[in-house]
Amino acid sequence: MKQIKFLLIGILFGIVMTKSEAVSWFRIQEMFRFDSFQMYGIIGSAVVAGIIVVNILKRYQIKTIERKELKLIPKEFSIPRYLFGGIIFGLGWSITGACPGPMFTLLGHGILSILVVIFSSILGTFVYGIIKSKLPH
């Protein structure tokens, strides 16, 4: 019962993803072909909201749910790191037509073929964990 809030947030997230059409393969392809601004608007809104929330967290020193101090550790900027990661992420996104957020929303819609994408994402994360120490960070 304690975890119900996370389920409700997930359902709300799924509704927002569906209503904004961010789960649409066609919308994602339009974005990658630069035919539509809609997905860029959604992503841009999320980035702006994230910046605002992080600044609020820092300014008011908000603690975690467990009442621990929130530590935001800046990472060193590395062009190869972000370029390589961005290319892999973008290719996967454009090939599958789904980024991590809408994957589970699509599953909730009954699109069972998304299970291949979800499995591949989990496998890719597992492989990254194995080879992480060998990659340039």
Side-chain angles (χ1 to χ4, degrees):
M1 194 62 172
K2 190 174 158 182
Q3 306 298 329
I4 195 82
K5 60 187 166 196
F6 298 111
L7 177 65
L8 294 175
I9 290 171
I11 291 170
L12 178 63
F13 180 73
I15 291 169
V16 169
M17 296 301 279
T18 300
K19 291 296 184 180
S20 68
E21 296 183 9
V23 297
S24 169
W25 183 85
F26 297 105
R27 289 282 180 217
I28 292 169
Q29 289 301 312
E30 284 177 343
M31 176 187 71
F32 282 107
R33 289 181 308 201
F34 302 105
D35 288 342
S36 174
F37 178 77
Q38 182 169 348
M39 290 298 290
Y40 293 110
I42 293 168
I43 294 167
S45 298
V47 168
V48 169
I51 291 169
I52 291 169
V53 169
V54 167
N55 281 310
I56 289 171
L57 293 173
K58 285 180 179 180
R59 178 170 292 159
Y60 296 106
Q61 298 175 345
I62 297 174
K63 298 187 186 294
T64 66
I65 294 174
E66 294 88 21
R67 303 282 182 216
K68 294 180 182 176
E69 182 180 325
L70 188 62
K71 295 179 184 176
L72 301 171
I73 302 167
K75 292 185 177 180
E76 180 183 325
F77 183 76
S78 167
I79 291 176
R81 170 186 182 173
Y82 293 111
L83 188 63
F84 187 64
I87 289 170
I88 291 173
F89 185 80
L91 284 172
W93 194 5
S94 64
I95 290 169
T96 63
C99 75
M103 288 190 319
F104 295 99
T105 304
L106 289 167
L107 184 60
H109 279 272
I111 312 291
L112 296 180
S113 59
I114 201 68
L115 285 170
V116 173
V117 177
I118 292 171
F119 174 77
S120 299
S121 299
I122 292 169
L123 180 64
T125 303
F126 179 73
V127 169
Y128 170 75
I130 292 172
I131 65 171
K132 180 180 177 181
S133 62
K134 296 174 179 76
L135 297 174
H137 282 95

